[in-house]
Amino acid sequence: MSRIEKEIRIVNLMIRIYCRHKEGNSEICPECKALMEYAALRLSHCKYGDSKSACRRCLTHCYRPDMRERIRKVMRYSGPRMIFFTPVEFFKHYFCRN
């Protein structure tokens, strides 16, 4: 699995955690679904490819300002909580970066 595919999988997981636990939805809401699709599109077109750094450290910000703020909000909520909801993914994401 490429780095981009892993990033897309983690972002989708974080958005699901946010939508379910922060917003209280049992299903993914349309706004979160749109954010998932937008993030996947932006990541799949990343000009740095598999050598990319974390998006927040990137020199070229490819997210629109509104979507960038939304994804920050999602990650700020979901990142620390991943250890409770998906501990295996948490350790893979935070400690096994290639």
Side-chain angles (χ1 to χ4, degrees):
M1 184 180 289
S2 74
R3 178 165 172 97
I4 297 296
E5 291 169 338
K6 289 177 188 176
E7 291 279 334
I8 290 171
R9 185 174 47 98
I10 291 297
V11 167
N12 287 345
L13 177 64
M14 287 179 149
I15 292 170
R16 282 189 176 98
I17 289 171
Y18 180 84
C19 192
R20 174 172 285 155
H21 298 282
K22 175 73 172 171
E23 295 181 346
N25 300 321
S26 59
E27 298 288 323
I28 299 294
C29 68
E31 293 86 17
C32 290
K33 181 74 171 162
L35 182 62
M36 288 171 95
E37 291 168 359
Y38 182 79
L41 178 71
R42 299 311 318 165
L43 285 167
S44 64
H45 288 94
C46 180
K47 71 180 190 177
Y48 299 106
D50 282 341
S51 62
K52 76 181 277 325
S53 63
C55 291
R56 69 179 167 168
R57 293 188 195 112
C58 188
L59 300 173
T60 311
H61 295 294
C62 57
Y63 282 52
R64 290 188 328 244
D66 62 323
M67 290 298 217
R68 188 170 174 205
E69 186 55 37
R70 174 84 192 217
I71 200 74
R72 274 187 190 159
K73 190 175 169 183
V74 167
M75 289 185 173
R76 209 174 295 134
Y77 178 84
S78 300
R81 289 165 177 81
M82 281 178 62
I83 196 164
F84 301 112
F85 298 114
T86 57
V88 173
E89 292 299 323
F90 172 83
F91 285 108
K92 282 183 188 178
H93 180 64
Y94 283 99
F95 299 114
C96 300
R97 294 181 181 169
N98 294 339

